Amino acid sequence: AALKQGLRSQVSAALKEGRVTPTELCQRCLALIRSTKFLNAYITVAEETALKQAEESEERYKRGQPLGILDGIPIAVKDNFNTTGIETTCASNMLKGYISPYNATVVQKLLDRGAVLLGKTNLDEFAMGSGSTDGVFGPVRNPWSYSKQYKEKCVPESHSENEESNWVITGGSSGGSAAAVSSFTCFAALGSDTGGSTRNPAAHCGVVGLKPTYGLISRHGLIPLVNSMDVPGILTRCVDDAAVLLGSLAGHDPKDSTTIQDDFKPFELPNLTDVSKLSIGIPKEYHAPGLSSEILTLWSKAADLFRNAGAKVVEVSLPHTRYSIVCYHVLCTAEVASNMARFDGLEYGHRSDMKDSTESMYAATRREGFNDVVRGRILSGNYFLLKQNYEKYFVKAQKVRRLIANDFVKVFRSGVDILLTPTTLSDAALYTEFIQEDNRTRSAQDDVLTQAANMAGLPAINVPTALSERGLPVGLQFIGRSFQEKQLLTVAKWFEKQVQFPVIQLEEVKRHDSGVFQHQKSASFS
Amino acid sequence: QKVSVEVLDQLEHLALVDFRDSEGVERLQKAIQFADQLQEVNTDGVEPMDSVLEDRWCLYLREDDVTEGNCTKELLDNAREKVEEYFVAPPGNIPLPTLEERETFLQGS
């Protein structure tokens, strides 16, 4: 199916040659969104504006003047990015009905290149969570729950019971974006990544999830969680597509002073054939407590794959790994406490009817607008920032952060090019099981493998690797040197080619398969 | 050790969010316990890290040129209460009611 293929190999070419038009593509995606509504991946579907954008794109193709490779390509954006004229809610009551007057820089860049914005995707409230289960619009369902591969492995029970209670989570917090890409309703989606929020759902949904180096992509318009760690994330079905998106989004933005000033040159990924010059590091501390034996085996097999192909594979140590999650917990809640202070009901968002005083209005607004998770983090953050606690917690965490970042510097300095680790501890959990523990506990468990990369600001990518015994996706993570995305993605692409991750077999997608798309069994495209 | 009611009250004042119920307070207790693990790490002689880009970039000042603005209408559109070009707030300088007087779970703790 053209939808299953990479941007460059088929769809862009197909658009250029007129084998499919942008409006057809857009309509197919919108129809698929409608028939996969039960996934709850989208909060807002911008049908009218999307069709209009598709029509404009079609005009450009007719004149032989497409804006580039993204012209006419349907994409989705996580609902914590500001989008002009389209509701931006962050899955919170605090911003329900909020229509932003501006586009986030990354959104603007995509629109400027002709991309078709289908809608805003679901997430955990204010991107706080690792399941995409804690937003006010309800949880996102992992498309793989409805795949042939998963259903075949399910213990047969009464069918109606099966459907309703057997679905698994997408992971989070960019679960909606991951589900949207995984279920073929769009070609790429934007997520955000503060502790793993792009890579975690990418792993659970079997898609590529890229966290770029901190400072490479503008955060202007991304509603901030942790200013020193947030990055926009890229979710696609293959590594080449991620490189295309990266090329469109990276670069200095005068509106975001934390973006580096260096010129960014978009690149095409070479087809690596010789890995003998590569040195792959396997950090032993990532053999974390709770890591499933399945994933451990997969990780081992991957290391062997590199070794057998001639690469140097070495065990390395990142000694402060186990404090990473604690450090994150303190710094994250502290920055959240600060960032959430802007929500007072005065200028935008929800406002309480309370009129007695400014403070009581603020308190009531925030009481009504935020869920337990958000309130909990604000209160914890404020606790760590109290004068009597500041040195002991906040400054201490900042010192530990340096130690964590230094661990990586030392390893890369010793000659290692790329680190190979698992992305998650296990495959996706059943929703009914996941919600038995509270958000903070889950996040602490699930972020363990991903969040050190946010601490150190390093680029990292999840590559879907294989299906678990339950028929669900498992991914592996590559972590690269700062601003060395080209090398990181080149290695990821090589790995992707080796593992040949299967295409999801979804009934809904097959139903929309008609003359426009040809069926392809394999996910590899060359 | 447990966080005192005074501190909990102070937090509600500073954060302007409420604990809501015993779960909320328990959540904070657990968060503190979790964070206490940091004390195990030896950080003698280590400088706190503000930003991962500390080596690469100094926060720069740009020229004081007006490059955008004049969007009063768009900005006011999102506010619920306004009068002409003003955001309207309830009276300020009135502190949040004390523990005994306001509606909070902490009352009677």
Side-chain angles (χ1 to χ4, degrees):
Chain A
L3 277 183
K4 299 176 195 198
Q5 295 156 5
L7 288 175
R8 229 174 325 194
S9 57
Q10 297 292 329
V11 176
S12 282
L15 284 172
K16 219 167 174 188
E17 291 158 26
R19 280 184 279 130
V20 66
T21 67
T23 45
E24 275 172 346
L25 205 51
C26 181
Q27 272 157 354
R28 293 281 165 191
C29 288
L30 289 172
L32 195 51
I33 292 176
R34 280 192 290 273
S35 64
T36 52
K37 204 152 181 216
F38 54 87
L39 294 177
N40 203 18
Y42 287 80
I43 292 177
T44 305
V45 182
E47 212 170 299
E48 267 182 52
T49 52
L51 284 169
K52 186 159 173 289
Q53 285 160 9
E55 277 161 23
E56 288 169 6
S57 170
E58 199 158 310
E59 279 307 303
R60 289 191 292 267
Y61 274 103
K62 282 208 187 112
R63 290 199 309 268
Q65 291 171 337
L67 291 170
I69 196 179
L70 285 178
D71 205 335
I73 302 291
I75 51 136
V77 167
K78 186 175 181 182
D79 208 15
N80 59 353
F81 285 92
N82 280 283
T83 45
T84 316
I86 302 174
E87 205 179 339
T88 300
T89 66
C90 293
S92 174
N93 279 320
M94 189 58 91
L95 287 177
K96 248 188 188 168
Y98 168 69
I99 311 254
S100 177
Y102 74 109
N103 279 323
T105 297
V106 288
V107 172
Q108 191 61 55
K109 284 189 171 187
L110 290 175
L111 293 175
D112 286 345
R113 284 157 179 74
V116 173
L117 177 54
L118 294 174
K120 309 295 289 298
T121 56
N122 204 351
L123 59 155
D124 281 305
E125 181 160 339
F126 278 110
M128 299 187 199
S130 59
S132 301
T133 51
D134 275 325
V136 293
F137 299 102
V140 185
R141 299 187 181 203
N142 192 327
W144 284 84
S145 315
Y146 302 94
S147 69
K148 189 161 173 231
Q149 290 104 327
Y150 177 65
K151 286 186 189 172
E152 276 171 356
K153 302 284 183 136
C154 266
V155 177
E157 266 157 37
S158 110
H159 273 290
S160 56
E161 248 181 60
N162 239 12
E163 287 295 303
E164 263 324 287
S165 57
N166 257 11
W167 61 271
V168 296
I169 58 166
T170 49
S173 59
S174 311
S177 284
V181 174
S182 171
S183 58
F184 297 101
T185 59
C186 62
F187 278 77
L190 290 184
S192 66
D193 197 311
T194 305
S197 291
T198 289
R199 292 160 286 155
N200 176 296
H204 287 317
C205 293
V207 297
V208 171
L210 171 64
K211 173 212 166 298
T213 311
Y214 179 85
L216 188 60
I217 299 189
S218 172
R219 290 181 299 112
H220 175 75
L222 166 60
I223 294 172
L225 196 60
V226 183
N227 298 73
S228 68
M229 294 184 215
D230 287 351
V231 293
I234 294 169
L235 293 133
T236 56
R237 282 194 286 278
C238 67
V239 177
D240 268 328
D241 289 357
V244 169
L245 264 286
L246 183 69
S248 310
L249 298 177
H252 177 66
D253 181 12
K255 293 183 184 174
D256 177 359
S257 55
T258 59
T259 51
I260 55 161
Q261 311 241 28
D262 302 18
D263 271 328
F264 174 81
K265 289 187 197 61
F267 49 77
E268 258 195 48
L269 293 177
N271 274 311
L272 191 64
T273 43
D274 174 22
V275 295
S276 59
K277 297 201 181 54
L278 265 186
S279 170
I280 309 283
I282 311 285
K284 63 181 188 198
E285 292 85 359
Y286 278 65
H287 186 346
L291 186 66
S292 81
S293 54
E294 255 188 328
I295 298 196
L296 185 59
T297 307
L298 224 54
W299 186 21
S300 205
K301 272 192 180 161
D304 286 340
L305 194 69
F306 279 101
R307 201 176 281 119
N308 293 335
K312 184 167 165 221
V313 179
V314 290
E315 191 189 72
V316 296
S317 175
L318 298 166
H320 295 93
T321 299
R322 72 188 190 89
Y323 294 106
S324 185
I325 196 73
V326 187
C327 184
Y328 175 69
H329 164 73
V330 173
L331 294 179
C332 174
T333 50
E335 292 209 38
V336 160
S338 167
N339 278 320
M340 294 294 129
R342 73 192 65 199
F343 298 106
D344 54 22
L346 209 50
E347 293 159 15
Y348 44 73
H350 174 69
R351 177 174 174 146
S352 161
D353 290 328
M354 163 65 74
K355 286 184 181 8
D356 292 352
S357 70
T358 320
E359 277 201 21
S360 61
M361 185 278 274
Y362 290 174
T365 296
R366 292 155 72 80
R367 182 197 185 101
E368 293 160 19
F370 290 141
N371 74 358
D372 286 350
V373 178
V374 178
R375 281 190 354 263
R377 292 202 192 185
I378 294 173
L379 288 163
S380 303
N382 273 297
Y383 179 83
F384 297 133
L385 291 171
L386 288 175
K387 228 187 276 184
Q388 65 263 35
N389 295 331
Y390 194 79
E391 279 288 328
K392 183 175 176 206
Y393 291 100
F394 185 69
V395 177
K396 181 80 178 179
Q398 287 191 306
K399 293 180 179 179
V400 175
R401 181 174 187 176
R402 182 178 297 285
L403 292 176
I404 293 167
N406 282 348
D407 277 356
F408 282 101
V409 169
K410 284 195 201 114
V411 161
F412 284 128
R413 213 170 264 164
S414 76
V416 166
D417 298 307
I418 306 269
L419 296 169
L420 167 62
T421 79
T423 313
T424 54
L425 294 175
S426 67
D427 58 4
L430 284 176
Y431 174 71
T432 47
E433 273 177 31
F434 185 79
I435 52 172
Q436 308 240 347
E437 290 278 6
D438 73 281
N439 185 293
R440 192 191 61 80
T441 311
R442 283 297 181 205
S443 298
Q445 292 163 348
D446 301 334
D447 287 345
V448 152
L449 302 168
T450 46
Q451 82 70 228
N454 298 86
M455 277 294 182
L458 299 171
I461 185 170
N462 171 77
V463 180
T465 307
L467 293 185
S468 69
E469 267 180 33
R470 290 163 69 209
L472 294 172
V474 168
L476 289 177
Q477 172 178 239
F478 292 92
I479 305 175
R481 296 164 190 252
S482 255
F483 301 105
Q484 302 303 315
E485 270 80 352
K486 184 170 181 186
Q487 181 180 52
L488 177 69
L489 290 171
T490 302
V491 174
K493 181 175 166 176
W494 180 87
F495 183 70
E496 173 188 65
K497 196 160 183 208
Q498 306 304 310
V499 298
Q500 306 266 307
F501 184 76
V503 178
I504 186 176
Q505 285 164 43
L506 270 182
E507 199 53 55
E508 285 69 21
V509 176
K510 276 216 204 98
R511 232 180 280 136
H512 287 270
D513 235 358
S514 64
V516 181
F517 313 129
Q518 307 106 32
H519 185 65
Q520 257 197 324
K521 283 203 196 301
S522 132
S524 89
F525 1 87
S526 45
Chain B
Q1 63 274 52
K2 293 220 162 229
V3 183
S4 69
V5 179
E6 285 75 36
V7 172
L8 292 176
D9 180 35
Q10 184 188 16
L11 287 175
E12 282 200 347
H13 260 96
L14 284 173
L16 290 180
V17 297
D18 61 319
F19 282 97
R20 189 79 38 111
D21 49 31
S22 60
E23 242 184 84
V25 178
E26 205 28 55
R27 211 174 283 133
L28 176 67
Q29 290 289 159
K30 287 209 191 112
I32 298 169
Q33 226 178 333
F34 191 64
D36 280 334
Q37 292 174 76
L38 279 180
Q39 305 311 314
E40 295 166 20
V41 188
N42 182 348
T43 52
D44 292 340
V46 182
E47 282 298 300
M49 181 182 237
D50 287 323
S51 166
V52 295
L53 297 177
E54 59 188 8
D55 289 335
R56 273 198 155 250
W57 126 108
C58 296
L59 200 60
Y60 65 97
L61 291 176
R62 64 173 188 148
E63 287 305 309
D64 191 12
D65 294 326
V66 175
T67 52
E68 54 181 351
N70 284 329
C71 49
T72 313
K73 181 180 176 306
E74 285 86 343
L75 294 178
L76 287 173
D77 271 345
N78 278 310
R80 219 189 83 172
E81 309 221 4
K82 51 207 172 207
V83 164
E84 292 177 13
E85 291 188 345
Y86 293 91
F87 295 112
V88 179
N93 251 352
I94 301 175
L96 204 64
T98 59
L99 189 58
E100 297 75 38
E101 287 164 19
R102 72 176 189 274
E103 240 186 80
T104 167
F105 162 75
L106 300 175
Q107 232 176 47
S109 293

